[in-house]
Every structure is written in C-alpha cells, then in structure tokens.
Amino acid sequence: GAGVSQSPSNKVTEKGKDVELRCDPISGHTALYWYRQSLGQGLEFLIYFQGNSAPDKSGLPSDRFSAERTGGSVSTLTIQRTQQEDSAVYLCASSRRHAGTSGAPTDTQYFGPGTRLTVL
Amino acid sequence: GNSVTQMEGPVTLSEEAFLTINCTYTATGYPSLFWYVQYPGEGLQLLLKATKADDKGSNKGFEATYRKETTSFHLEKGSVQVSDSAVYFCALSVVDMRFGAGTRLTVKP
C-alpha cells in the first residue's frame, strides 16, 4: 500500500485479556519497528525486524510481550495478560533497510497511525 | 548506550518568533540524526535528517546541523507559524532508532 497501516486503530480490553496488534508495512520495506508512546512520554523502542528475524528484542518490557513477522511483510505484536500500564499508543514503522554492523545509516522510517490500546 | 536528550517542553512562542529546540546525543559508531514531527491528531512524520558530521538538514523552513564536536543536532526556525504547533522528536540511528522524549511547541497568533 501507499503507507504503513495498523489495525485496529483503537482497542479497549479488560485487564488480563490478550490482544493482538497488526502492522502492514510499506511494500518492499525489509525493516519493521514497533514503538510504544505512553501519555506524556516519548517514544519507547520495543523491537525491530530485519526480514522475518528480530535480532534485537531488548526493548520488550516483559515476557508478556511478543512479536512475529511472517513472509517479510505483516507483523503482529501480542500482549498477553494485559495490565493497565500497557495502555498506550503502539506505533509501527517500516524502512527500506536497517543499519548493519558496518554502521551504515538506517533509512528513514515511515510511521503508521498507531493503535490506541486502553486496558480497563 | 545510544541515547538522545532534548529540551523539555512545553514551548510557547508568538507567531514569527525564532525557535530553537536543543538536542544532544550519545552514541557509539556513526549515527544518523533525525527530527520527526507529530502534528495534532496525526502520526509521526520525518521533518529532516542528517547522515554525517557537518551536514545540514532542512525542510519547511526548519534547519538542524549535525555537530559532532558538541554532539548536538539543534532544531531551528527563523519565524514560526501557528501551523508549526506540534510535538517535535529528536532521534538518532546507529543500529536501531532512539528517540528523545519530545518537545511540545505551541505557537500563538
């Protein structure tokens, strides 16, 4: 598609339930990123994918968070047993490629509109 | 580790005032530096970027110069408009992208 899309745009869930957030990156972009933006906070990096692999999972806040990407395209972020502190806007971004160990600059990231998650 | 520190907001200016939003970074390797903007009700979008020392990124009247000696990438605009009201994020990228906390700018007519 023309841009990064995310679904749902809004999700309200009860504490303890599992949720799945979806991201469709720009076609041809090999790198995909998940961030969290909490009210009044900056952007918190969660995880990135290069193709289908996720070399850096250090940003995931707990083992309740997991993400996968299949076919080098769509990604799903899953939050199990949601807690109220998980309430935030979850942003997805994609770029043509990701920096390698050579330190090559990462291409511009293009962001989706986000999914606003509210845990009651 | 890699990190970005940017000026705390909120910042309130009158139309046509000069804007500076400070950003400094800590990084290993050779980072690229970015400014992203989030207008009210919209998603994040790239404003400008610089990929090596002494590069100047510019867009929509905004400028930022990559200063390796001071590890800074301050955002400037000579004359702000009401339509510039938004949250501005400084970011760096080496292996992954790290964002600052954001600075909310409000421009009053």
Side-chain angles (χ1 to χ4, degrees):
Chain A
V4 178
S5 60
Q6 293 185 244
S7 61
S9 55
N10 279 286
K11 176 72 176 178
V12 180
T13 190
E14 294 180 348
K15 178 180 173 181
K17 301 283 189 183
D18 297 351
V19 295
E20 282 190 356
L21 312 180
R22 177 187 167 105
C23 172
D24 279 276
I26 292 173
S27 178
H29 281 193
T30 62
L32 184 148
Y33 307 80
W34 283 99
Y35 297 88
R36 179 168 69 175
Q37 187 176 25
S38 303
L39 185 65
Q41 303 295 315
L43 281 165
E44 177 186 5
F45 168 77
L46 298 179
I47 190 171
Y48 86 88
F49 290 88
Q50 179 61 49
N52 290 335
S53 65
D56 183 3
K57 299 182 180 180
S58 62
L60 294 176
S62 77
D63 59 8
R64 296 186 294 105
F65 287 71
S66 63
E68 64 177 15
R69 189 181 186 195
T70 55
S73 182
V74 172
S75 176
T76 302
L77 177 69
T78 301
I79 309 172
Q80 296 178 309
R81 305 181 303 281
T82 52
Q83 304 295 311
Q84 288 183 333
E85 60 263 27
D86 299 334
S87 297
V89 176
Y90 289 81
L91 294 169
C92 175
S94 71
S95 67
R96 285 186 299 157
R97 62 186 175 88
H98 184 80
T101 53
S102 65
T106 297
D107 285 347
T108 301
Q109 295 187 12
Y110 296 86
F111 283 81
T115 294
R116 181 175 296 279
L117 174 66
T118 303
V119 182
L120 301 176
Chain B
N2 302 326
S3 66
V4 172
T5 302
Q6 66 180 96
M7 176 178 171
E8 288 188 19
V11 174
T12 302
L13 295 174
S14 298
E15 208 164 22
E16 300 184 3
F18 184 86
L19 168 72
T20 299
I21 301 178
N22 289 339
C23 172
T24 57
Y25 68 89
T26 302
T28 55
Y30 303 94
S32 291
L33 301 173
F34 305 80
W35 277 99
Y36 280 81
V37 59
Q38 189 172 31
Y39 296 104
E42 298 184 17
L44 270 170
Q45 55 187 276
L46 178 68
L47 179 60
L48 55 84
K49 69 176 183 180
T51 58
K52 61 182 188 297
D54 300 325
D55 270 3
K56 177 185 283 187
S58 60
N59 185 26
K60 299 182 180 181
F62 290 89
E63 292 183 340
T65 301
Y66 188 141
R67 300 286 188 202
K68 191 174 180 182
E69 62 276 13
T70 55
T71 62
S72 64
F73 193 56
H74 304 323
L75 182 68
E76 296 182 337
K77 186 172 185 181
S79 177
V80 294
Q81 305 301 312
V82 173
S83 57
D84 294 326
S85 298
V87 181
Y88 293 82
F89 293 89
C90 185
L92 71 79
S93 174
V94 179
V95 177
D96 57 16
M97 185 79 86
R98 301 288 171 173
F99 284 80
T103 302
R104 181 177 298 278
L105 170 67
T106 301
V107 181
K108 296 187 174 181

